[in-house]
Amino acid sequence: MAAASGLPMVGKRKNPMLTTTYGTGQLIKAALDRGCKKILIGLGGSATNDGGIGCAAALGAKFLDRNGKEVSLNGAGLSDIASIDLGGIDKRLAQTDIEVLCDVVSPLFGKTGAAYVFAGQKGADFETVKLLDNGLRNLAEVTKDTIGKDNSSVEGAGAAGGLGFGLISFLGARLVKGASAVLNAMKFEQAAKCADLVITGEGCMDNQSLLGKAPAEVASLSGNTPVVAIVGMSKVTDMSGSNIRRIYVTDHGKRPFEQVLRECREDLAAAAHRVAVDFFNSAI
């Protein structure tokens, strides 16, 4: 979804009150037009916080205010939703298997939900985060009245600004662990049993990285094989419960981003060397 509704699309113009998942819905429609019966959607890197209403609208759903007018299909429109009309939703969705690859476990709203955890990365200040969270609460309530089911607490409902919630509520999609799906296809667990050391990584590792994202899945499937992570930056404050033994950071000081890009290969090699030294000195 990031190719249509992601941060690379907005550059410095980040604003989750204005961004929309409508383009993701257009991609799904294009897949349906080409006869696809199974669609895989990867969630991550989104610039949005619209609860998936843009995506659903591109496929025929209508989100209406108290006057029966369609709301803005973005974060700003969430609080205005008074009713949802799914009568025009693309009928082909009922015969399509939509599998959503998702590595976060956040619910739709609340302190661990889409807005409070992720909207800050998308350009929202604290007041905007509160507005978005209230909007997602409203969406959940109206959706429950419409479909007779509350999906707001489903693990992953808050992924990609609530797109996870929208996909399962309006399109009948299934959420699956993205990292697990890929690692299982690779037969990673069997390979890890034969290894002496497993190295994972991430650009910027934080506490969320240890809650179901790819590094956490790698560690959980590695059994008794030691796991370390090489990362660009680390904001981890609590490693309790994690199977990752040590984190090695490649960034060694404040440098202009252009310089980091130029020197990243050398930085990565230096971090890998530190891992090797510690491993052979039995420090891992």
Side-chain angles (χ1 to χ4, degrees):
M1 65 84 59
S5 311
L7 288 169
M9 306 296 292
V10 297
K12 296 180 179 180
R13 300 172 297 154
K14 295 187 291 186
N15 188 339
M17 292 291 279
L18 301 180
T19 48
T20 178
T21 56
Y22 193 89
T24 299
Q26 289 178 308
L27 287 181
I28 296 173
K29 185 177 184 301
L32 294 174
D33 290 343
R34 286 163 174 76
C36 293
K37 296 300 181 182
K38 181 170 184 176
I39 299 175
L40 301 180
I41 303 173
L43 299 191
S46 72
T48 56
N49 200 106
D50 71 352
I53 64 173
C55 176
L59 290 158
K62 292 184 178 181
F63 298 86
L64 310 172
D65 64 17
R66 296 186 184 280
N67 297 316
K69 295 182 179 180
E70 293 190 54
V71 304
S72 299
L73 299 172
N74 50 30
L78 293 172
S79 294
D80 296 328
I81 299 172
S83 63
I84 301 172
D85 180 1
L86 298 177
I89 202 83
D90 197 311
K91 298 296 187 288
R92 295 173 294 180
L93 292 168
Q95 284 78 46
T96 306
D97 180 17
I98 302 179
E99 197 169 85
V100 182
L101 308 184
C102 171
D103 288 330
V104 301
V105 297
S106 299
L108 181 62
F109 56 78
K111 296 300 182 181
T112 58
Y116 275 96
V117 176
F118 299 110
Q121 305 168 8
K122 305 172 186 181
D125 58 23
F126 185 66
E127 290 303 315
T128 302
V129 167
K130 290 192 290 185
L131 289 173
L132 290 168
D133 188 69
N134 288 334
L136 291 170
R137 289 175 185 270
N138 180 59
L139 172 64
E141 183 176 340
V142 180
T143 300
K144 181 181 178 181
D145 292 340
T146 303
I147 67 174
K149 186 177 182 180
D150 183 5
N151 291 315
S152 63
S153 297
V154 173
E155 288 190 354
L163 178 58
F165 172 84
L167 290 171
I168 58 178
S169 297
F170 308 129
L171 275 61
R174 295 180 294 110
L175 293 181
V176 299
K177 291 288 187 182
S180 295
V182 173
L183 292 170
N184 288 338
M186 295 169 55
K187 295 182 172 55
F188 174 81
E189 190 169 7
Q190 296 92 313
K193 290 179 180 178
C194 302
D196 295 311
L197 177 69
V198 172
I199 302 175
T200 185
E202 195 168 26
C204 179
M205 181 169 281
D206 55 22
N207 292 339
Q208 286 296 315
S209 305
L210 308 180
L211 296 176
K213 287 191 175 182
E217 290 297 320
V218 167
S220 68
L221 292 174
S222 294
N224 294 324
T225 305
V227 181
V228 299
I230 297 178
V231 304
M233 295 175 58
S234 175
K235 297 181 180 179
V236 175
T237 58
D238 182 9
M239 290 187 66
S240 60
S242 171
N243 291 331
I244 298 176
R245 296 192 181 183
R246 293 190 64 176
I247 298 174
Y248 295 81
V249 180
T250 62
D251 190 14
H252 49 76
K254 293 183 178 180
R255 295 171 293 171
F257 185 62
E258 294 75 13
Q259 182 180 353
V260 173
L261 288 178
R262 289 197 306 270
E263 299 174 357
C264 62
R265 185 182 296 272
E266 292 80 5
D267 291 341
L268 182 59
H273 181 265
R274 296 200 303 274
V275 171
V277 170
D278 286 347
F279 177 72
F280 286 110
N281 287 332
S282 301
I284 295 177

